[in-house]
Amino acid sequence: MGRRWWPLASGIAVAFIALTAAVSAASGAPLRFLVLDTLGALAFVIAGSIAWQRRPDVLTGPILVGCAVLWSIGSYGPSLQPVVTHLGYALGGWYDVALALLVLALPARWPDSQGRRIVAVLAAAFGVRSVGRLLLQDPSLYPDAVGVPPNPFAIAPDRVAFQTVEIVTSLVIAAACLIVAGLAVARLASGSQATRRVLWPLLVAGVLAMLA
């Protein structure tokens, strides 16, 4: 994607981050959460904008800017606002897939076949988890879930099925993230000194964000 697109994409991302912060503040989010969550999203935009300007021929910039939006989407989960709280909860963490794609692609433009398989498995696990969170759980039906609005997407709420999906997908996601981390370390160890000097900040930051 060319340089001409980064101002528009970054501007949209910043606007969405601002909207998310406003919703979180109106929902009574603690100041510490609000500040850290907003700074985390803005860090993705800043890093992505810099990468986009310097290397518009690779996906690093667009992926990082996209991560800012995906990061903010998950922040709607604890808002307890109708509809969006369930969407935010269901879609939380999807930036891990984008970061895995980025980490496994560097320094090339696209991951190799092994990297693509890992990203596919990670995306599939997140997809199943998101569907489970949307369709299988409605916290408003539980007596211990005070103040949670009804989930309009829950067509077959089943607490046992929901918890099973959560456990299985969480294990797959954790394993895939650890594999990505291992491959990133191996790539750094086997690379030249010049490659390590250029890549280690981005790889380390990406891995840490995935494992957070």
Side-chain angles (χ1 to χ4, degrees):
M1 300 181 70
R3 285 191 179 92
R4 68 181 183 276
W5 291 106
W6 81 260
L8 176 62
S10 298
I12 292 173
V14 170
F16 187 72
I17 292 168
L19 174 63
T20 303
V23 172
S24 297
S27 302
L31 180 61
R32 177 181 174 83
F33 169 83
L34 191 62
V35 171
L36 293 178
D37 189 66
T38 303
L39 289 178
L42 289 175
F44 278 122
V45 175
I46 294 170
S49 297
I50 294 173
W52 206 329
Q53 292 179 75
R54 291 184 176 179
R55 293 290 306 277
D57 56 317
V58 298
L59 294 176
T60 304
I63 288 176
L64 287 173
V65 173
C67 282
V69 175
L70 293 173
W71 176 284
S72 294
I73 287 175
S75 302
Y76 285 88
S79 70
L80 298 183
Q81 298 294 329
V83 182
V84 295
T85 189
H86 299 290
L87 288 173
Y89 177 59
L91 299 175
W94 268 92
Y95 59 87
D96 280 348
V97 179
L99 287 173
L101 178 64
L102 176 62
V103 168
L104 294 175
L106 293 173
R109 296 183 62 180
W110 198 250
D112 57 19
S113 59
Q114 181 189 47
R116 290 194 298 271
R117 286 194 296 270
I118 295 172
V119 173
V121 169
L122 186 60
F126 268 103
V128 172
R129 189 177 77 170
S130 294
V131 171
R133 289 181 172 185
L134 280 177
L135 305 184
L136 299 179
Q137 64 93 30
D138 187 354
S140 65
L141 300 176
Y142 310 149
D144 54 338
V146 179
V148 181
N151 179 6
F153 309 101
I155 60 175
D158 186 319
R159 196 167 194 172
V160 174
F162 165 69
Q163 291 174 344
T164 300
V165 170
E166 283 288 299
I167 292 171
V168 173
T169 55
S170 294
L171 289 174
V172 174
I173 290 169
C177 288
L178 288 174
I179 291 172
V180 171
L183 290 174
V185 171
R187 184 169 297 176
L188 282 176
S190 62
S192 65
Q193 184 175 357
T195 299
R196 289 197 297 269
R197 186 168 58 250
V198 172
L199 293 184
W200 81 262
L202 188 54
L203 289 176
V204 171
V207 170
L208 290 177
M210 287 179 63
L211 297 178

